[in-house]
Amino acid sequence: MEIQYRYALDNHDQPIDVFGLERASMDPGCVFRCVACGGELIAKLGDIKAKHFAHKSLTSNCAYESYLHQLAKRIFYSEYSKCLENNKPLHLVKTESVICNHFENKHGYTCARTENKHHDLTKYFDRVDLEKHHNGFVADVLLQSSKTGEVLFVEFAVTHKCEEEKIRSGIRIIEYSLTGEEQLEQVKSHNLRDSDEWITLYNFRTRIEKRSVCGGNCAAKLNVFVVYASKKSILLELEPHREVDSQVRGKILHLEVLGKSSGEKEEQILLFRQKVREAHFNNVPLKNCFLCRYHGGDGVENAVFCKVDRQSVGSNQAVECEKYRPMRTMSECLAQDKKNEEFVQKKQIGEMIRTLIPGPHIK
């Protein structure tokens, strides 16, 4: 079966794409060679079959994997050399962590973000060599700085991944896993992205930058715990770029800025419960069902289940409840939470069994 290649080496030993050739403008003196075995190739430029190169010798035993590995090295070397000669960039686009500290001083919180940063490799490494020895290893392509001596290996994996010993050396490596010629289009576009599944980076330093990213236009909300003169309490989610006082209404006895909201309902309920109890045991006058010995667990959708009235209620119902009996210590509150959690889990398991197994069930 004829092996069809898209690339060959021209008279100048440079990779050439068959898709860029036209029969009418072909140089009759041009001889094409295989990048793997060096054998002569014929450019097939017919109208019926897709353009391709084929070995002139029918007895060639050239392997596609060897061709692809050699081709990748040649194309990268050629493209990088052209970038250096023409003062053009070849970017490594890395997904890097950034800590936005815009509200760190004002509200005491930061936000973790990721950004795609373009690093022009030609600005760091002004020399490129093909299959070059360095520190006991041979790089498929070696990039090196003539000023600092720093190096970067570019390795192409077709049948074999990068050797463990090479990875453990500490040398920075870009490993490019290949299954087909089409993946080399990224190299020709001069953009290598670490987010692509076929690119792996080894021994690159991870530095997390800390700066204002959002410029005050933060998507997160600010948690503010408020106790009113009515003894009711609430956990508000406010706009961080606006002053807190301008967003809170009513007569306030206690206000505490808690930082960034998670936006998760369950986490918000747990935080609110914690702040209610801390405020109560610090002698802030409030009433709340999360302090009452008669409150039960009802999952996330309903904050509190009243064991006396046997119904779900809002936690501020305690302000108007004649049966309200606050617990005396934080330990007593935590013990009650444990009982409630066990009850909810047991209830959920029972509902699951009733769903999966039809028929009568003993309660």
Side-chain angles (χ1 to χ4, degrees), residues 99-111:
I99 300 297
C100 180
N101 62 356
H102 188 89
F103 290 107
E104 186 173 22
N105 293 332
K106 184 176 181 180
H107 296 311
Y109 77 84
T110 59
C111 291

Side-chain angles (χ1 to χ4, degrees), residues 6-7 17 75 79 184-191:
R6 177 175 168 180
Y7 293 90
D17 189 344
I75 286 184
E79 293 296 328
L184 293 172
E185 291 302 308
Q186 192 182 76
V187 175
K188 293 169 69 175
S189 73
H190 303 163
N191 281 287

Side-chain angles (χ1 to χ4, degrees), residues 43-75:
K44 301 292 186 74
L45 306 177
D47 299 325
I48 300 175
K49 289 186 177 181
K51 294 180 179 180
H52 65 276
F53 288 108
H55 284 85
K56 184 175 183 179
S57 173
L58 298 178
T59 60
S60 173
N61 59 356
C62 185
Y64 180 77
E65 290 79 9
S66 298
Y67 156 80
L68 192 58
H69 187 233
Q70 292 296 329
L71 174 66
K73 292 189 286 187
R74 291 272 192 166
I75 286 184

Side-chain angles (χ1 to χ4, degrees), residues 80-90 120 122-123:
Y80 200 90
S81 298
K82 287 188 287 187
C83 287
L84 290 176
E85 292 169 7
N86 300 313
N87 196 28
K88 299 291 184 181
L90 192 148
D120 179 6
T122 66
K123 299 300 181 185

Side-chain angles (χ1 to χ4, degrees), residues 249-311:
R249 299 288 184 267
K251 190 173 182 181
I252 298 168
L253 293 181
H254 176 82
L255 185 147
E256 191 175 350
V257 177
L258 305 178
K260 181 175 63 175
S261 167
S262 68
E264 297 295 329
K265 187 173 182 179
E266 186 173 7
E267 291 183 21
Q268 293 293 92
I269 289 175
L270 294 177
L271 177 61
F272 175 62
R273 184 178 71 182
Q274 174 190 338
K275 300 313 296 184
V276 160
R277 291 169 176 174
E278 287 179 2
H280 171 72
F281 291 113
N282 284 321
N283 300 316
V284 176
L286 61 83
K287 289 185 177 182
N288 192 279
C289 293
F290 281 126
L291 295 165
C292 182
R293 66 187 62 206
Y294 300 131
H295 90 276
D298 198 21
V300 177
E301 292 303 319
N302 300 295
V304 178
F305 182 81
C306 179
K307 294 179 180 179
V308 175
D309 293 338
R310 301 188 64 81
Q311 64 179 345

Side-chain angles (χ1 to χ4, degrees), residues 53-181:
F53 288 108
H55 284 85
K56 184 175 183 179
S57 173
L58 298 178
T59 60
S60 173
N61 59 356
C62 185
Y64 180 77
E65 290 79 9
S66 298
Y67 156 80
L68 192 58
H69 187 233
Q70 292 296 329
L71 174 66
K73 292 189 286 187
R74 291 272 192 166
I75 286 184
F76 188 93
Y77 175 80
S78 175
E79 293 296 328
Y80 200 90
S81 298
K82 287 188 287 187
C83 287
L84 290 176
E85 292 169 7
N86 300 313
N87 196 28
K88 299 291 184 181
L90 192 148
H91 287 119
L92 172 61
V93 185
K94 288 182 63 188
T95 304
E96 299 184 0
S97 297
V98 181
I99 300 297
C100 180
N101 62 356
H102 188 89
F103 290 107
E104 186 173 22
N105 293 332
K106 184 176 181 180
H107 296 311
Y109 77 84
T110 59
C111 291
R113 300 192 176 198
T114 56
E115 290 183 342
N116 290 328
K117 290 197 173 181
H118 291 66
H119 300 274
D120 179 6
L121 295 179
T122 66
K123 299 300 181 185
Y124 301 96
F125 307 103
D126 57 351
R127 289 175 52 187
V128 57
D129 291 287
L130 195 60
E131 298 177 343
K132 180 79 171 180
H133 286 263
H134 180 82
N135 281 6
F137 301 103
V138 179
D140 282 346
V141 181
L142 177 70
L143 305 182
Q144 189 167 18
S145 168
S146 60
K147 296 179 181 179
T148 66
E150 287 189 84
V151 300
L152 171 65
F153 284 10
V154 182
E155 301 290 321
F156 294 95
V158 179
T159 56
H160 302 290
K161 302 288 284 183
C162 192
E163 303 97 319
E164 287 296 326
E165 188 178 359
K166 190 178 286 187
I167 295 171
R168 290 195 298 267
S169 70
I171 296 171
R172 280 176 288 184
I173 300 170
I174 299 175
E175 183 180 63
Y176 203 107
S177 297
L178 286 168
T179 57
E181 298 160 314

Side-chain angles (χ1 to χ4, degrees), residues 2 8 13-14 25 32 40 50 94 113 152 170 175 202 205 217 234 238 265 279 306 320 334 336 343 346-347:
E2 181 186 71
D13 210 30
Q14 294 297 311
S25 57
F32 302 107
E40 187 175 348
K94 288 182 63 188
R113 300 192 176 198
L152 171 65
E175 183 180 63
Y202 298 105
R205 292 184 291 271
N217 187 25
I234 190 172
L238 305 181
K265 187 173 182 179
C306 179
E320 302 170 358
L334 297 177
Q336 182 68 35
F343 173 81
K346 185 178 179 181
K347 181 180 176 182

